[in-house]
Amino acid sequence: MEVRVRYAPSPTGLQHIGGVRTALFNYFFARSMGGKFILRVEDTDRERFSEESLKDLYDTLEWLGINWDEGPEKGGDFGPYVQSKRTDLYRKYADQLVDEGMAYHCYCSSERLDNLREVQKKEKLSYGYDRHCRDLTKEERDKNEKDGLTSVIRLKIPLEGKTSFDDVLLGTVTRKNKDISPDPVLMKSDGFPTYHLANVVDDHLMEITHILRAQEWIPSGAMHVLLYKAFGWEPPFYCHLPMVMGKDGQKLSKRHGSTSVVDFRKRGYLPEAIINYVTMVGWAFDDSREFFTKEELEELFSLEKISKSPGVFDYKKLEWFNGQYIRKKSEADLIEEVIPYLKKDGIISEEVTEKEMLIIKNMMSIMTERLHFISDISELARFLFKDIGNYTLTDIIPKKMDFKGTIIALEGARELVKGFSSRTDEENEELFRKKSEEVKVKLGSMLMPLRVAISGSKVSPPIFGSLRLLGVDKALERIDHVISLLKDAAKNEEEQEGNNGQ
RNA sequence: GUCUCCUUCGUCUAGUGGUUAGGACACCGGGUUUUCAUCCCGGCAACAGGGGUUCGACUCCCCUAGGAGAUGCCA
């Protein structure tokens, strides 16, 4: 038997971590079994549907490199793969159930239903439809129709007995029929099917063999089986995936931070990191290995190793994975990644100049290990392309030093910067050490003012590398500017003291 | 309220009757280092509780507690 699985999102919002995890598990399972991965768009909720969400779905899957074997834009033998194009089909199957007495028309208004729920809640009764229309006589139905009442079609859940389904992870899950949501709606009054109907019909028609979906669907599992039985179909295997939670243990949502994949993408996360980390929430290969490429997972993934309990999404660990993957990238690849961010932040020109490109190529080696996100590059590299000046005197003057000492240290450093580029780093380091002894400050205390002067920040890539990238002339210019600032400040201070003395 | 699922360090997890309960992130310390970062070394830290079964339970069974999810003309 060929394995056929599907990812069936509904385009009512941006693709988020939870959805992508489900997609990934389905995709990896299909690949590892040599089966087919199908994409099906469940756009039956016309209220919440948005074109933007649909585009985001395609973009996200493409960015992650999750290719579907059958589905929209790709086709296949079981299309169309968009549910809004299959409404006739659902209608036909729903009518069939009504004809056979397995389902019925319900004319209850939403007001009546709202009311009912309110009363049930207040009286602490169990919630759910009261099956008001389940046993309407033919006369009553005809009257409702004649009155022009709109109707929905509901499934008749047996009042007694129990229903169970087999879950690869959970084993056999059994539910008493009386505990199943009483008579769920199959067809809405707008002519569109609900998830339950469309899902079952499509999964059967598309010959889906395994349903991997989030555990939030467990409660409707038995009901879906009942639907399969009503049609006389064989239900597929189920595998209910553990949910992804936020730090507080609640279902992961916006208030925990970004959850949409596009947000992660904009922030400078690599798809490799997201795929790897998201797969590790709820799945583990063994007791030590945790780095996997997509290709490796396509081979190694297995349902047996999925955990049953929900997992908390750890942004910190994803960040760590991202850093690891950044450092694994080749310099050439990283340059490709970095350029769009530099452009977006106005660090380099839209049409990258030769000079800019040269700096970019030369700077990557000292930038890479400082990146947690690709987007970090702009802050880090700004001083190489743009004028600086956002530093303050307190940034420049090292701890336990005054204006004069700082000026002396910086002037000493300036001497060495002049001939800097004709020497090796080792030679330079030797000279800087000697010079720092000469002016009686620690090496660090001499280099810190220099660092701020040329990079504008106390935190920067290594000084020697930065100097080389920036060029001696530019560096001297910046150093001189800082020295003059310091001298002005020192003079002011003297005058102040002089005034006080009089 | 009712039903269903879940329960090993703070977090992700390994573990399938006998282990000093292992790894990773985070955190804390130390080292390398011109800052930051990287990297290396070390430390902290868990079997929810109670009953059984057994020579022996993290592992099997039951109960309790806790958590989550569902209970829509949303998926």
Short mmCIF file of all heavy atoms in Angstrom, two decimals, chain A residues 358-408:
data_model
loop_
_atom_site.label_atom_id
_atom_site.label_comp_id
_atom_site.label_asym_id
_atom_site.label_seq_id
_atom_site.Cartn_x
_atom_site.Cartn_y
_atom_site.Cartn_z
N LEU A 358 33.15 44.70 -2.31
CA LEU A 358 34.47 44.32 -1.84
C LEU A 358 34.49 44.27 -0.30
O LEU A 358 35.01 43.32 0.30
CB LEU A 358 35.51 45.32 -2.35
CG LEU A 358 36.96 44.88 -2.18
CD1 LEU A 358 37.24 43.64 -3.02
CD2 LEU A 358 37.90 46.01 -2.56
N ILE A 359 33.92 45.30 0.29
CA ILE A 359 33.88 45.33 1.76
C ILE A 359 33.07 44.15 2.28
O ILE A 359 33.47 43.46 3.23
CB ILE A 359 33.28 46.66 2.27
CG1 ILE A 359 34.12 47.84 1.80
CG2 ILE A 359 33.19 46.65 3.79
CD1 ILE A 359 33.56 49.20 2.17
N ILE A 360 31.92 43.91 1.66
CA ILE A 360 31.06 42.81 2.11
C ILE A 360 31.83 41.49 2.07
O ILE A 360 31.83 40.71 3.03
CB ILE A 360 29.79 42.71 1.25
CG1 ILE A 360 28.91 43.95 1.47
CG2 ILE A 360 28.99 41.46 1.60
CD1 ILE A 360 27.75 44.06 0.51
N LYS A 361 32.49 41.27 0.96
CA LYS A 361 33.23 40.01 0.82
C LYS A 361 34.29 39.86 1.89
O LYS A 361 34.49 38.79 2.44
CB LYS A 361 33.89 39.94 -0.56
CG LYS A 361 32.92 39.49 -1.64
CD LYS A 361 33.62 39.33 -2.97
CE LYS A 361 32.64 38.82 -4.02
NZ LYS A 361 33.06 39.19 -5.38
N ASN A 362 34.97 40.98 2.16
CA ASN A 362 36.06 40.91 3.12
C ASN A 362 35.61 40.89 4.57
O ASN A 362 36.35 40.48 5.45
CB ASN A 362 37.03 42.08 2.91
CG ASN A 362 37.80 41.92 1.62
OD1 ASN A 362 38.08 40.79 1.19
ND2 ASN A 362 38.13 43.03 0.98
N MET A 363 34.38 41.35 4.81
CA MET A 363 33.98 41.48 6.21
C MET A 363 33.35 40.21 6.78
O MET A 363 33.31 40.03 7.99
CB MET A 363 32.99 42.63 6.37
CG MET A 363 31.57 42.31 5.92
SD MET A 363 30.49 43.75 6.14
CE MET A 363 28.92 43.03 5.67
N MET A 364 32.89 39.32 5.92
CA MET A 364 32.11 38.19 6.43
C MET A 364 32.85 37.36 7.47
O MET A 364 32.25 36.88 8.42
CB MET A 364 31.64 37.29 5.28
CG MET A 364 30.51 37.86 4.43
SD MET A 364 29.23 38.78 5.31
CE MET A 364 28.51 37.51 6.32
N SER A 365 34.14 37.19 7.28
CA SER A 365 34.85 36.30 8.19
C SER A 365 34.83 36.81 9.63
O SER A 365 34.80 36.02 10.56
CB SER A 365 36.29 36.11 7.73
OG SER A 365 36.96 37.35 7.77
N ILE A 366 34.80 38.13 9.83
CA ILE A 366 34.75 38.60 11.21
C ILE A 366 33.32 38.88 11.68
O ILE A 366 33.10 39.19 12.83
CB ILE A 366 35.63 39.85 11.44
CG1 ILE A 366 35.22 40.99 10.53
CG2 ILE A 366 37.10 39.51 11.27
CD1 ILE A 366 35.91 42.31 10.88
N MET A 367 32.36 38.77 10.79
CA MET A 367 30.97 39.04 11.16
C MET A 367 30.22 37.76 11.55
O MET A 367 29.40 37.76 12.46
CB MET A 367 30.23 39.69 9.98
CG MET A 367 30.74 41.05 9.59
SD MET A 367 30.53 42.24 10.93
CE MET A 367 31.22 43.73 10.20
N THR A 368 30.50 36.71 10.84
CA THR A 368 29.70 35.49 10.95
C THR A 368 29.43 35.04 12.38
O THR A 368 28.29 34.79 12.76
CB THR A 368 30.41 34.34 10.21
OG1 THR A 368 30.68 34.78 8.89
CG2 THR A 368 29.53 33.11 10.17
N GLU A 369 30.49 34.92 13.18
CA GLU A 369 30.26 34.38 14.52
C GLU A 369 29.55 35.35 15.44
O GLU A 369 29.22 35.02 16.56
CB GLU A 369 31.58 33.93 15.12
CG GLU A 369 32.55 35.05 15.40
CD GLU A 369 33.96 34.51 15.62
OE1 GLU A 369 34.30 33.49 14.98
OE2 GLU A 369 34.69 35.07 16.42
N ARG A 370 29.32 36.56 14.95
CA ARG A 370 28.60 37.53 15.76
C ARG A 370 27.13 37.63 15.40
O ARG A 370 26.39 38.41 15.97
CB ARG A 370 29.27 38.91 15.61
CG ARG A 370 30.24 39.22 16.73
CD ARG A 370 31.28 40.23 16.30
NE ARG A 370 32.40 39.54 15.70
CZ ARG A 370 33.51 39.23 16.37
NH1 ARG A 370 33.65 39.58 17.62
NH2 ARG A 370 34.46 38.54 15.80
N LEU A 371 26.69 36.85 14.45
CA LEU A 371 25.29 36.91 13.99
C LEU A 371 24.43 35.86 14.68
O LEU A 371 24.77 34.68 14.68
CB LEU A 371 25.21 36.68 12.48
CG LEU A 371 25.91 37.66 11.54
CD1 LEU A 371 25.72 37.19 10.09
CD2 LEU A 371 25.36 39.06 11.72
N HIS A 372 23.35 36.32 15.28
CA HIS A 372 22.34 35.37 15.76
C HIS A 372 21.24 35.26 14.72
O HIS A 372 20.63 34.24 14.52
CB HIS A 372 21.77 35.82 17.09
CG HIS A 372 22.69 35.57 18.24
ND1 HIS A 372 23.56 36.51 18.73
CD2 HIS A 372 22.91 34.45 18.97
CE1 HIS A 372 24.26 35.99 19.72
NE2 HIS A 372 23.90 34.75 19.89
N PHE A 373 20.99 36.40 14.11
CA PHE A 373 20.02 36.48 13.03
C PHE A 373 20.71 37.16 11.86
O PHE A 373 21.58 37.99 12.07
CB PHE A 373 18.81 37.31 13.44
CG PHE A 373 18.24 36.92 14.77
CD1 PHE A 373 18.45 37.71 15.88
CD2 PHE A 373 17.52 35.76 14.91
CE1 PHE A 373 17.94 37.35 17.11
CE2 PHE A 373 17.00 35.38 16.12
CZ PHE A 373 17.21 36.17 17.23
N ILE A 374 20.29 36.85 10.67
CA ILE A 374 20.87 37.50 9.52
C ILE A 374 20.69 39.02 9.62
O ILE A 374 21.55 39.79 9.25
CB ILE A 374 20.24 36.98 8.21
CG1 ILE A 374 20.39 35.47 8.09
CG2 ILE A 374 20.85 37.67 7.02
CD1 ILE A 374 21.81 34.98 7.89
N SER A 375 19.57 39.40 10.20
CA SER A 375 19.27 40.83 10.28
C SER A 375 20.25 41.59 11.18
O SER A 375 20.33 42.81 11.12
CB SER A 375 17.84 41.03 10.80
OG SER A 375 17.69 40.40 12.05
N ASP A 376 20.99 40.89 12.01
CA ASP A 376 21.97 41.56 12.88
C ASP A 376 23.06 42.26 12.08
O ASP A 376 23.75 43.13 12.61
CB ASP A 376 22.64 40.54 13.82
CG ASP A 376 21.68 40.00 14.87
OD1 ASP A 376 20.64 40.65 15.09
OD2 ASP A 376 21.97 38.95 15.46
N ILE A 377 23.22 41.88 10.85
CA ILE A 377 24.34 42.38 10.06
C ILE A 377 24.35 43.89 9.95
O ILE A 377 25.42 44.52 9.98
CB ILE A 377 24.34 41.74 8.64
CG1 ILE A 377 25.67 41.99 7.95
CG2 ILE A 377 23.20 42.25 7.80
CD1 ILE A 377 26.84 41.28 8.56
N SER A 378 23.18 44.51 9.84
CA SER A 378 23.13 45.95 9.60
C SER A 378 23.76 46.74 10.73
O SER A 378 24.58 47.63 10.49
CB SER A 378 21.68 46.39 9.38
OG SER A 378 21.17 45.78 8.23
N GLU A 379 23.40 46.42 11.95
CA GLU A 379 23.97 47.12 13.09
C GLU A 379 25.47 46.91 13.18
O GLU A 379 26.24 47.80 13.46
CB GLU A 379 23.31 46.63 14.40
CG GLU A 379 22.20 47.52 14.89
CD GLU A 379 22.49 49.00 14.68
OE1 GLU A 379 23.37 49.57 15.37
OE2 GLU A 379 21.84 49.60 13.78
N LEU A 380 25.84 45.67 12.92
CA LEU A 380 27.23 45.27 13.08
C LEU A 380 28.15 45.94 12.05
O LEU A 380 29.28 46.30 12.34
CB LEU A 380 27.30 43.74 12.91
CG LEU A 380 28.17 42.92 13.84
CD1 LEU A 380 27.98 43.36 15.29
CD2 LEU A 380 27.81 41.45 13.69
N ALA A 381 27.63 46.08 10.83
CA ALA A 381 28.49 46.52 9.73
C ALA A 381 28.31 47.99 9.37
O ALA A 381 29.03 48.52 8.52
CB ALA A 381 28.23 45.67 8.50
N ARG A 382 27.38 48.64 10.04
CA ARG A 382 27.04 50.02 9.68
C ARG A 382 28.28 50.92 9.58
O ARG A 382 28.44 51.68 8.62
CB ARG A 382 26.07 50.58 10.71
CG ARG A 382 25.91 52.10 10.63
CD ARG A 382 24.77 52.61 11.48
NE ARG A 382 23.61 52.87 10.65
CZ ARG A 382 22.48 52.21 10.70
NH1 ARG A 382 22.34 51.24 11.57
NH2 ARG A 382 21.50 52.51 9.89
N PHE A 383 29.19 50.80 10.54
CA PHE A 383 30.33 51.73 10.60
C PHE A 383 31.28 51.60 9.41
O PHE A 383 32.08 52.50 9.15
CB PHE A 383 31.10 51.54 11.91
CG PHE A 383 31.97 50.29 11.94
CD1 PHE A 383 33.33 50.38 11.65
CD2 PHE A 383 31.44 49.06 12.25
CE1 PHE A 383 34.14 49.25 11.68
CE2 PHE A 383 32.24 47.93 12.28
CZ PHE A 383 33.59 48.02 11.99
N LEU A 384 31.16 50.51 8.69
CA LEU A 384 32.03 50.32 7.53
C LEU A 384 31.52 51.08 6.31
O LEU A 384 32.25 51.35 5.37
CB LEU A 384 32.15 48.85 7.18
CG LEU A 384 32.83 47.97 8.23
CD1 LEU A 384 32.73 46.51 7.84
CD2 LEU A 384 34.28 48.38 8.42
N PHE A 385 30.23 51.42 6.35
CA PHE A 385 29.61 52.05 5.18
C PHE A 385 29.12 53.46 5.44
O PHE A 385 29.02 54.26 4.53
CB PHE A 385 28.42 51.19 4.70
CG PHE A 385 28.81 49.80 4.31
CD1 PHE A 385 28.75 48.77 5.23
CD2 PHE A 385 29.22 49.51 3.01
CE1 PHE A 385 29.11 47.47 4.86
CE2 PHE A 385 29.57 48.23 2.64
CZ PHE A 385 29.51 47.20 3.58
N LYS A 386 28.79 53.71 6.70
CA LYS A 386 28.14 54.99 7.00
C LYS A 386 28.98 55.79 7.99
O LYS A 386 29.80 55.22 8.72
CB LYS A 386 26.77 54.70 7.65
CG LYS A 386 25.79 54.02 6.72
CD LYS A 386 25.21 55.04 5.77
CE LYS A 386 24.44 54.33 4.66
NZ LYS A 386 24.05 55.27 3.62
N ASP A 387 28.71 57.09 8.03
CA ASP A 387 29.38 57.91 9.03
C ASP A 387 28.85 57.53 10.41
O ASP A 387 27.71 57.11 10.55
CB ASP A 387 29.08 59.39 8.77
CG ASP A 387 29.86 59.88 7.56
OD1 ASP A 387 30.89 59.23 7.25
OD2 ASP A 387 29.44 60.86 6.94
N ILE A 388 29.73 57.70 11.39
CA ILE A 388 29.30 57.40 12.74
C ILE A 388 29.29 58.68 13.55
O ILE A 388 29.69 59.72 13.07
CB ILE A 388 30.22 56.38 13.42
CG1 ILE A 388 31.67 56.87 13.31
CG2 ILE A 388 30.05 55.03 12.76
CD1 ILE A 388 32.61 56.13 14.20
N GLY A 389 28.87 58.60 14.77
CA GLY A 389 28.85 59.81 15.58
C GLY A 389 27.84 59.70 16.70
O GLY A 389 27.54 60.66 17.40
N ASN A 390 27.33 58.51 16.87
CA ASN A 390 26.31 58.33 17.89
C ASN A 390 26.91 57.92 19.24
O ASN A 390 26.23 57.47 20.12
CB ASN A 390 25.28 57.29 17.44
CG ASN A 390 25.94 56.05 16.89
OD1 ASN A 390 27.08 56.10 16.44
ND2 ASN A 390 25.23 54.94 16.93
N TYR A 391 28.23 58.08 19.35
CA TYR A 391 28.86 57.73 20.62
C TYR A 391 28.96 58.96 21.53
O TYR A 391 28.82 60.09 21.08
CB TYR A 391 30.25 57.15 20.40
CG TYR A 391 31.11 57.97 19.46
CD1 TYR A 391 31.73 59.14 19.91
CD2 TYR A 391 31.29 57.57 18.14
CE1 TYR A 391 32.51 59.90 19.05
CE2 TYR A 391 32.06 58.34 17.28
CZ TYR A 391 32.67 59.50 17.73
OH TYR A 391 33.43 60.26 16.90
N THR A 392 29.24 58.74 22.79
CA THR A 392 29.40 59.84 23.74
C THR A 392 30.79 59.75 24.34
O THR A 392 31.47 58.74 24.22
CB THR A 392 28.38 59.74 24.88
OG1 THR A 392 28.67 58.56 25.63
CG2 THR A 392 26.96 59.66 24.36
N LEU A 393 31.21 60.82 24.99
CA LEU A 393 32.53 60.84 25.59
C LEU A 393 32.70 59.73 26.64
O LEU A 393 33.77 59.15 26.78
CB LEU A 393 32.81 62.19 26.23
CG LEU A 393 33.13 63.30 25.21
CD1 LEU A 393 33.35 64.62 25.92
CD2 LEU A 393 34.35 62.94 24.38
N THR A 394 31.63 59.42 27.33
CA THR A 394 31.76 58.37 28.35
C THR A 394 32.01 57.01 27.72
O THR A 394 32.60 56.13 28.34
CB THR A 394 30.50 58.28 29.24
OG1 THR A 394 29.35 58.25 28.39
CG2 THR A 394 30.41 59.47 30.17
N ASP A 395 31.55 56.84 26.48
CA ASP A 395 31.86 55.59 25.78
C ASP A 395 33.35 55.50 25.49
O ASP A 395 33.95 54.44 25.51
CB ASP A 395 31.11 55.52 24.44
CG ASP A 395 29.63 55.26 24.63
OD1 ASP A 395 29.27 54.72 25.70
OD2 ASP A 395 28.86 55.61 23.73
N ILE A 396 33.93 56.66 25.20
CA ILE A 396 35.31 56.68 24.74
C ILE A 396 36.31 56.50 25.88
O ILE A 396 37.31 55.80 25.73
CB ILE A 396 35.59 58.03 24.01
CG1 ILE A 396 34.72 58.11 22.75
CG2 ILE A 396 37.06 58.15 23.64
CD1 ILE A 396 34.67 59.47 22.12
N ILE A 397 36.00 57.13 27.00
CA ILE A 397 36.97 57.09 28.10
C ILE A 397 36.85 55.82 28.92
O ILE A 397 35.80 55.55 29.50
CB ILE A 397 36.77 58.32 29.02
CG1 ILE A 397 36.96 59.59 28.18
CG2 ILE A 397 37.75 58.30 30.17
CD1 ILE A 397 36.47 60.83 28.86
N PRO A 398 37.90 55.02 28.93
CA PRO A 398 37.85 53.77 29.68
C PRO A 398 37.70 54.03 31.18
O PRO A 398 37.98 55.12 31.65
CB PRO A 398 39.20 53.12 29.39
CG PRO A 398 39.73 53.82 28.20
CD PRO A 398 39.18 55.20 28.25
N LYS A 399 37.29 53.00 31.87
CA LYS A 399 37.15 53.10 33.32
C LYS A 399 38.47 53.53 33.96
O LYS A 399 39.55 53.15 33.49
CB LYS A 399 36.75 51.74 33.89
CG LYS A 399 35.23 51.57 34.01
CD LYS A 399 34.89 50.25 34.67
CE LYS A 399 35.00 49.12 33.66
NZ LYS A 399 34.63 47.80 34.17
N LYS A 400 38.36 54.29 34.98
CA LYS A 400 39.54 54.72 35.75
C LYS A 400 40.52 55.56 34.93
O LYS A 400 41.70 55.63 35.24
CB LYS A 400 40.31 53.52 36.32
CG LYS A 400 39.53 52.75 37.37
CD LYS A 400 40.36 51.60 37.88
CE LYS A 400 39.54 50.65 38.71
NZ LYS A 400 40.18 49.36 38.89
N MET A 401 40.04 56.18 33.86
CA MET A 401 40.93 57.05 33.09
C MET A 401 40.29 58.41 32.92
O MET A 401 39.08 58.57 33.00
CB MET A 401 41.26 56.43 31.73
CG MET A 401 42.33 55.36 31.86
SD MET A 401 42.78 54.61 30.32
CE MET A 401 43.53 55.96 29.44
N ASP A 402 41.14 59.43 32.68
CA ASP A 402 40.62 60.78 32.49
C ASP A 402 40.86 61.25 31.05
O ASP A 402 41.36 60.49 30.23
CB ASP A 402 41.27 61.74 33.50
CG ASP A 402 42.78 61.71 33.37
OD1 ASP A 402 43.30 61.12 32.39
OD2 ASP A 402 43.46 62.28 34.24
N PHE A 403 40.51 62.47 30.78
CA PHE A 403 40.67 63.01 29.42
C PHE A 403 42.11 62.90 28.94
O PHE A 403 42.39 62.42 27.86
CB PHE A 403 40.24 64.49 29.40
CG PHE A 403 38.77 64.68 29.54
CD1 PHE A 403 38.25 65.44 30.58
CD2 PHE A 403 37.89 64.09 28.64
CE1 PHE A 403 36.89 65.63 30.72
CE2 PHE A 403 36.52 64.27 28.77
CZ PHE A 403 36.02 65.04 29.82
N LYS A 404 43.02 63.38 29.81
CA LYS A 404 44.42 63.43 29.40
C LYS A 404 44.96 62.06 29.06
O LYS A 404 45.59 61.85 28.02
CB LYS A 404 45.25 64.06 30.51
CG LYS A 404 45.21 65.58 30.45
CD LYS A 404 46.29 66.19 31.31
CE LYS A 404 46.17 67.70 31.29
NZ LYS A 404 46.30 68.29 32.63
N GLY A 405 44.71 61.13 29.98
CA GLY A 405 45.22 59.78 29.75
C GLY A 405 44.66 59.20 28.47
O GLY A 405 45.38 58.56 27.68
N THR A 406 43.38 59.44 28.24
CA THR A 406 42.74 58.90 27.05
C THR A 406 43.34 59.51 25.79
O THR A 406 43.59 58.83 24.80
CB THR A 406 41.22 59.16 27.08
OG1 THR A 406 40.71 58.72 28.34
CG2 THR A 406 40.52 58.43 25.96
N ILE A 407 43.60 60.82 25.86
CA ILE A 407 44.19 61.49 24.70
C ILE A 407 45.57 60.90 24.40
O ILE A 407 45.88 60.58 23.24
CB ILE A 407 44.31 63.01 24.95
CG1 ILE A 407 42.91 63.62 25.01
CG2 ILE A 407 45.14 63.67 23.85
CD1 ILE A 407 42.89 65.06 25.52
N ILE A 408 46.34 60.70 25.46
CA ILE A 408 47.68 60.15 25.26
C ILE A 408 47.60 58.75 24.65
O ILE A 408 48.30 58.43 23.68
CB ILE A 408 48.45 60.09 26.60
CG1 ILE A 408 48.75 61.52 27.07
CG2 ILE A 408 49.75 59.31 26.45
CD1 ILE A 408 49.21 61.62 28.51
#
